[in-house]
Amino acid sequence: MVKLIQEKQSGKDLFKCYELSVGKSVRAQIINYGGRIHRLFISDVNGVERDVVIGFDDICEYKGSEGYFNALIGRVGNRIGGASFELNGNKYSLYPNDNGNTLHGGKVGFDSVFWDCEIDNDELVLRYVSEDGEEGFPGKMQVEVRYAVTENDELVIRYRAVSDKDTVCSLTNHAYFNLSGNFDNKVLSECLKIRSDYITAVEENLIPTGELYAVKNTPLDFNSMKEIGEEIADENQFLTIAGGYDFNYVLKNTAGEYAAKAFDPKTCIQMEVYTDRPCMQFYSGNFLNGVKGKTTFYKNCAFCLETQGYPNACNVPSFPSMTLKKGEEFKTETRYKFSVYKPEL
């Protein structure tokens, strides 16, 4: 079931909030500004509903905020080195919003625009037209994102994009999770498993170099479930650069298998991430620095699992391409499946 639950005028802007639900286990609220997940309610081991994404109480407060809270990200998620790329012999200059690089689409990415919304049976459909040259990217690109909550206790996000010129495209969602539902708690005691043997190595500004780094026998290895904070303070070179975890994991992606699994030992809420994308960014909230929202958000109060293509692929020939050819379709799906898991003592 999808319904409009709130409209709020702020200056010239009309903010809208929609609620998606099936049964009582999962309930999601989505706003038209940035296509953001405003609240995501999950029932814990005692049947208590808990909001497991950080953000703001007032839907208008997302505008102008930093951190990309729970937003749709595009045209390209993650970083593009040097705020530029070449395509078909042409060089395209982008807005340098991150140490001389481009992060999450540039100055005004998909997180910072109002999307057209439509209810289509049990799905919320968001649409946005990114004009040719917007943020420096070539091609007029029509984007459609569908949110759904299923009877299998999943939040499903389906992405689709088509451009009238060759361009680059890698869409994702920047949801910040805290499965305890208490945002004053850090997520360092929450547990995580990622089915990956490699990250894409990065330099000091977190731009992928083109090399792969084997995580085995390092604190970046999450092939066996462990607490997020177990080795976060290790002096590993990459943890030192990022101030925690902020790395692109190359997924094993066996058909039908989850890419990642997270678990909170207090609420017993478990989340599995399924995707057809080749990679996923695990971010441990290292740059949260006192933003006031549903509470005051500090470092490590939430984590992100952003499904994506290879970051900076438009500048690294050895990475699988993120080029979207004229008239071809970018299409992908990510599912967050929730359950209650009470481990045996």
Side-chain angles (χ1 to χ4, degrees), residues 250-266:
V250 179
L251 301 173
K252 295 177 184 177
N253 251 8
T254 307
E257 293 281 350
Y258 60 80
K261 179 188 290 187
F263 173 73
D264 181 81
K266 300 182 184 69

Side-chain angles (χ1 to χ4, degrees), residues 12 15 29 42 90 125 140 171 174 203 221 258 285 290 317 327:
K12 296 181 180 179
F15 291 80
Q29 295 179 359
I42 310 297
N90 298 311
V125 185
K140 180 178 181 179
L171 308 179
H174 206 303
E203 42 90 293
D221 189 354
Y258 60 80

Side-chain angles (χ1 to χ4, degrees), residues 312-321:
N312 201 35
C314 51
N315 290 314
V316 182
S318 61
F319 285 171
S321 175

Side-chain angles (χ1 to χ4, degrees), residues 45-64:
V45 68
N46 296 312
V48 177
E49 268 196 334
R50 296 181 180 270
D51 181 9
V52 297
V53 293
I54 67 174
F56 300 94
D57 285 316
D58 187 333
I59 60 176
C60 301
E61 290 186 45
Y62 289 95
K63 187 173 182 180

Side-chain angles (χ1 to χ4, degrees), residues 104-237:
H104 295 330
K107 185 177 183 180
V108 183
F110 292 178
D111 62 290
S112 298
V113 299
F114 285 88
W115 293 65
D116 293 327
C117 297
E118 175 188 347
I119 297 174
D120 183 11
N121 294 317
D122 291 332
E123 296 185 336
L124 178 65
V125 185
L126 294 89
R127 296 187 178 93
Y128 177 69
V129 178
S130 179
E131 297 293 344
D132 184 18
E134 184 173 303
E135 291 299 315
F137 293 100
K140 180 178 181 179
M141 193 165 76
Q142 300 186 51
V143 188
E144 179 183 281
V145 178
R146 290 176 175 259
Y147 282 101
V149 170
T150 75
E151 293 180 351
N152 294 323
D153 297 330
E154 297 170 319
L155 175 64
V156 181
I157 312 176
R158 300 185 179 95
Y159 307 83
R160 179 181 177 274
V162 178
S163 175
D164 66 358
K165 293 181 182 178
D166 289 359
T167 189
V168 290
C169 179
S170 184
L171 308 179
T172 190
N173 183 284
H174 206 303
Y176 284 80
F177 297 101
N178 181 320
L179 300 182
S180 77
N182 183 343
F183 306 138
D184 291 321
N185 291 341
K186 292 189 175 185
V187 294
L188 300 181
S189 62
E190 296 192 6
C191 301
L192 181 65
K193 180 177 180 178
I194 304 174
R195 301 183 65 252
S196 169
D197 293 331
Y198 298 94
I199 66 160
T200 47
V202 294
E203 42 90 293
E204 61 182 5
N205 288 318
L206 298 175
I207 303 299
T209 63
E211 301 295 321
L212 297 182
Y213 176 79
V215 300
K216 187 175 181 179
N217 298 322
T218 79
L220 278 65
D221 189 354
F222 281 88
N223 277 289
S224 295
M225 185 169 275
K226 66 180 181 183
E227 290 186 353
I228 290 173
E230 184 174 326
E231 299 179 279
I232 199 170
D234 190 274
E235 295 182 355
N236 173 277
Q237 59 176 318

Side-chain angles (χ1 to χ4, degrees), residues 256-284:
E257 293 281 350
Y258 60 80
K261 179 188 290 187
F263 173 73
D264 181 81
K266 300 182 184 69
T267 62
C268 296
I269 292 173
Q270 179 172 270
M271 180 179 74
E272 296 172 334
V273 183
Y274 295 83
T275 184
D276 51 15
R277 300 296 277 148
C279 301
M280 184 183 69
Q281 188 84 5
F282 166 42
Y283 172 51
S284 54

